[in-house]
Amino acid sequence: MTDQMTTQLTQEIRIAASKRRTFAIISHPDAGKTTLTEKLLLYSGMLRTAGMVGARKDRKSATSDWMEMEQERGISITASAMQFPYKDAVINVLDTPGHQDFCEDTYRTLTAADSAIMVIDAAKGVETQTRKLFEVCRLRQIPVLTLINKMDLPGRTPLDLMTEVEEVLGIQASPINWPIGSGREFMGVVNRETRQVLLFTKTAKAGAAKPELETLALDDPSLKSRVPAYIWEELEHDLELLEVAGNPFSKEEFQNGKVTPVFFGSALTNFGVETFFDAFVDMAPHPHARVADLPDGDEQMIEPAEVPFSAYVFKLQANMNPRHRDSTAFMRVCSGKFDRDMVVKHHRTKSDVRLSRPHSMVAKERNTVDVAYPGDVIGIINTGAFQIGDTISLTEGFNYKPLPQFQPEVFARVRPKDTTMRKSFDKGIEQLAKEGAIQIMRSLDGLEFFVGAVGRLQFDVLEFRLESEYRVKSIVDMLPYESSAWLVGDVETFKPPSDALVVKDSQNRAVVLFRSAWSKNFARERNPEHDFNDMG
Ligand code: G4P
């Protein structure tokens, strides 16, 4: 390539990367993640009316019946990573499976995101799954924008919710807009900086199409006659209070994960949604340099536009059809430009691999990818070459950081029904552990063997796949533990609570399984010399 061509390519990548917003939506089930995604598609012009509701209902039916589970997974495959244009930006939204699907993938996917949108139900506040996902964002320093959703329903006061975000999540919350009224009287939002008011008009088909909006200045005299007096008074009071006691917003602090900008809205009725998306595109970072390990132990920042194509595998999605043992490897492009059929270096196996049949998702359609840029996600059919965390690139010489492992929260003793099938059983379990769906643990004497997973559904998947792919029927006995943590300190001197269990993970690290948060606290108090880690 001539110098001029190289400069042109670098420029092309720089422009493409600057338009990318690669993010995940984190929330507790039912807070409105699906509805918000649907609205993002509506506002980007990908859907003419918001109407994926039927699919949502199917997906939600909590069942472990395999056929339905497959269907359910079909939908979550569809949503693994969707790409579409939104105004001048290119959106890559990564799905973080929730509900029963909650698993390590949910956490790992966050490593591929440059930012996250946290959706909170205004009536429920910060819930457990949101808290866990937020914790991963904090540890990875992923900037988080907050949308307080369902403002059209009776909920808690905005001030109360702000306090909860700050106290429960330990991050400064800075409201960018503030709601005018709530529940049936949710009429609009005020932008605190521009002091502009956005008034919504309810339409008969609220939700299916964009709402009618009116923009007024906060000091517009007509406002007082349109907003009921008690709502106006409350608004003035809150705004004054925020002026004095509210956290200031700075883009830098947000991008460093120190402050979360907060917005209020209602995804179902579309109120406040477009303003939120616009602000998101404006504030959220585009793909930035990622740290990679060099063979000599040093680190290197891999700049998206400066280094030829490189990517890493963050998720493997097994093919649920037992006749095809392949899976899809989802890779995040970190640098350079990807061209279809490119031959790349696979660092772990030290081999060359052709990236053929790459695909991405646009709304519900699977599309072949011809080119991709930093921030994009491509799915490649994997016949065994790829493992989670693998780095691939045009040039060798570096590896992206290994993906963190997360402590399981559900545990079981798993054994083959027919003991003569032990060999196939072990092979199957090992393969599934390699894919990252489950973690294998052993008792300290090495005789007993346990399986841990982040979500309950993984055990159904495990049973099914052992039978369909390895012809082994298995028995799964669930254990009463509800959390686990790596033990930091000497296992010999550790005094576990009587209801806890100390085991070893696949790398021989000591892991403590707890029955309750109380038990974990007790262990902490009893062992001041030791500590616990939830992520490794
Ligand atoms: P999730 O993906 O986070 O699990 O949540 P999802 O979007 O599926 O929303 C959960 C329920 O909350 C849905 O109702 C959805 O319509 C409703 N919802 C989402 N955002 C809002 C909002 O801003 N206001 C109101 N009032 N409701 C909202 P559902 O009855 O479970 O399903 P459906 O009958 O609406 O499909």
Side-chain angles (χ1 to χ4, degrees):
M1 229 194 282
T2 62
D3 282 357
Q4 195 192 357
M5 281 162 80
T6 311
T7 316
Q8 261 176 8
L9 179 63
T10 308
Q11 188 59 5
E12 175 189 329
I13 298 168
R14 192 165 288 138
I15 293 171
S18 70
K19 291 185 173 193
R20 263 58 185 175
R21 297 292 180 276
T22 303
F23 68 100
I25 303 180
I26 58 172
S27 62
H28 193 80
D30 274 349
K33 184 175 75 172
T34 316
T35 313
L36 189 71
T37 312
E38 188 177 297
K39 296 310 164 78
L40 192 49
L41 288 165
L42 177 76
Y43 278 95
S44 65
M46 301 306 294
L47 287 179
R48 260 182 300 131
T49 55
M52 286 162 25
V53 180
R56 178 167 64 220
K57 280 236 156 113
D58 291 348
R59 184 183 58 111
K60 266 199 191 163
S61 55
T63 169
S64 57
D65 172 78
W66 184 258
M67 284 314 283
E68 284 184 48
M69 209 158 97
E70 187 173 3
Q71 230 176 23
E72 219 173 90
R73 288 183 74 90
I75 291 164
S76 64
I77 293 171
T78 305
S80 278
M82 278 194 288
Q83 183 181 70
F84 48 87
Y86 175 80
K87 300 185 183 172
D88 282 336
V90 177
I91 298 288
N92 286 310
V93 50
L94 310 175
D95 187 40
T96 45
H99 303 273
Q100 292 208 339
D101 258 344
F102 195 73
C103 59
E104 256 197 86
D105 275 348
T106 310
Y107 290 140
R108 259 185 306 231
T109 296
L110 285 175
T111 67
D114 296 319
S115 62
I117 291 177
M118 174 164 72
V119 182
I120 290 176
D121 181 327
K124 298 195 177 136
V126 180
E127 298 171 88
T128 30
Q129 259 182 42
T130 316
R131 220 174 51 222
K132 290 181 193 165
L133 290 163
F134 177 83
E135 206 41 51
V136 179
C137 291
R138 186 216 305 280
L139 291 165
R140 312 267 322 171
Q141 290 175 322
I142 297 169
V144 177
L145 286 98
T146 302
L147 175 70
I148 309 265
N149 189 33
K150 304 200 187 182
M151 286 301 295
D152 60 309
L153 293 178
R156 291 159 53 179
T157 69
L159 284 173
D160 186 23
L161 288 159
M162 297 281 300
T163 312
E164 180 161 304
V165 167
E166 297 205 329
E167 284 179 358
V168 176
L169 303 178
I171 187 169
Q172 287 193 1
S174 175
I176 302 297
N177 65 25
W178 200 252
I180 307 175
S182 62
R184 291 171 70 88
E185 288 180 309
F186 180 43
M187 331 178 49
V189 288
V190 187
N191 181 309
R192 288 184 52 227
E193 196 189 312
T194 61
R195 311 217 36 103
Q196 283 211 314
V197 171
L198 204 61
L199 279 189
F200 313 126
T201 310
K202 277 196 185 135
T203 53
K205 280 186 136 188
K210 299 179 185 182
E212 281 170 32
L213 301 175
E214 209 178 323
T215 311
L216 300 165
L218 187 59
D219 54 12
D220 188 312
S222 74
L223 262 178
K224 271 197 180 163
S225 61
R226 296 174 66 181
V227 176
Y230 78 95
I231 293 182
W232 187 257
E233 263 171 42
E234 211 172 74
L235 176 70
E236 281 191 320
H237 165 265
D238 286 357
L239 289 178
E240 265 171 40
L241 197 75
L242 290 173
E243 243 5 89
V244 183
N247 295 310
F249 176 75
S250 107
K251 205 162 167 175
E252 202 186 325
E253 299 248 288
F254 154 66
Q255 295 201 346
N256 290 334
K258 300 261 183 306
V259 55
T260 177
V262 180
F263 298 80
F264 293 84
S266 155
L268 188 70
T269 59
N270 295 334
F271 287 3
V273 165
E274 191 174 16
T275 340
F276 173 68
F277 291 147
D278 289 349
F280 163 73
V281 169
D282 178 46
M283 290 176 182
H286 54 74
H288 43 72
R290 293 200 158 223
V291 196
D293 291 325
L294 299 176
D296 62 7
D298 272 359
E299 290 181 340
Q300 185 191 341
M301 294 301 279
I302 306 291
E303 292 289 342
E306 311 300 329
V307 177
F309 170 76
S310 71
Y312 75 93
V313 179
F314 65 92
K315 171 172 173 167
L316 292 183
Q317 178 89 51
N319 188 337
M320 285 303 150
N321 184 339
R323 272 168 301 173
H324 302 282
R325 271 207 198 175
D326 57 12
S327 61
T328 302
F330 287 95
M331 322 184 168
R332 155 152 179 152
V333 180
C334 299
S335 70
K337 181 181 177 185
F338 167 82
D339 287 302
R340 186 178 165 185
D341 289 328
M342 205 173 213
V343 176
V344 296
K345 308 273 179 209
H346 186 312
H347 299 199
R348 181 176 52 81
T349 57
K350 300 196 175 24
S351 56
D352 289 345
V353 190
R354 177 181 298 277
L355 298 180
S356 47
R357 287 192 289 158
H359 57 264
S360 73
M361 300 293 168
V362 179
K364 291 178 116 186
E365 308 286 325
R366 180 185 269 238
N367 283 358
T368 300
V369 174
D370 289 321
V371 290
Y373 296 97
D376 291 349
V377 170
I378 44 178
I380 303 276
I381 303 294
N382 177 29
T383 47
F386 298 111
Q387 283 182 15
I388 282 171
D390 280 350
T391 298
I392 51 165
S393 71
L394 261 186
T395 53
E396 283 167 300
F398 63 88
N399 265 309
Y400 286 108
K401 295 263 172 210
L403 294 196
Q405 233 192 346
F406 299 93
Q407 274 303 346
E409 290 166 21
V410 276
F411 306 87
R413 229 181 236 117
V414 187
R415 58 202 152 96
K417 234 179 204 158
D418 175 355
T419 45
T420 60
M421 298 300 285
R422 187 88 223 179
K423 243 185 164 163
S424 309
F425 173 83
D426 286 350
K427 203 166 136 203
I429 291 272
E430 250 166 54
Q431 176 56 31
L432 292 167
K434 225 188 258 171
E435 282 179 22
I438 51 160
Q439 292 181 30
I440 300 175
M441 298 165 174
R442 284 175 203 279
S443 53
L444 289 180
D445 59 15
L447 297 176
E448 261 195 293
F449 151 82
F450 311 93
V451 173
V454 166
R456 175 71 184 83
L457 188 78
Q458 295 307 317
F459 288 110
D460 295 343
V461 174
L462 175 77
E463 259 187 291
F464 178 84
R465 288 192 56 196
L466 281 174
E467 189 170 349
S468 67
E469 292 171 32
Y470 298 88
R471 310 259 163 267
V472 189
K473 280 196 179 2
S474 53
I475 300 172
V476 175
D477 295 318
M478 297 307 294
L479 295 170
Y481 306 102
E482 60 168 51
S483 73
S484 61
W486 278 286
L487 181 67
V488 185
D490 185 3
V491 67
E492 299 293 330
T493 57
F494 177 65
K495 294 190 289 275
S498 57
D499 60 354
L501 184 67
V502 185
V503 297
K504 285 187 295 191
D505 73 0
S506 55
Q507 296 168 45
N508 263 332
R509 296 177 292 186
V511 174
V512 192
L513 314 188
F514 296 105
R515 286 197 189 203
S516 62
W518 184 88
S519 174
K520 189 171 175 180
N521 275 341
F522 177 67
R524 218 184 271 284
E525 280 169 24
R526 203 177 182 193
N527 298 275
E529 304 291 307
H530 292 75
D531 203 359
F532 303 109
N533 258 350
D534 294 332
M535 194 164 101

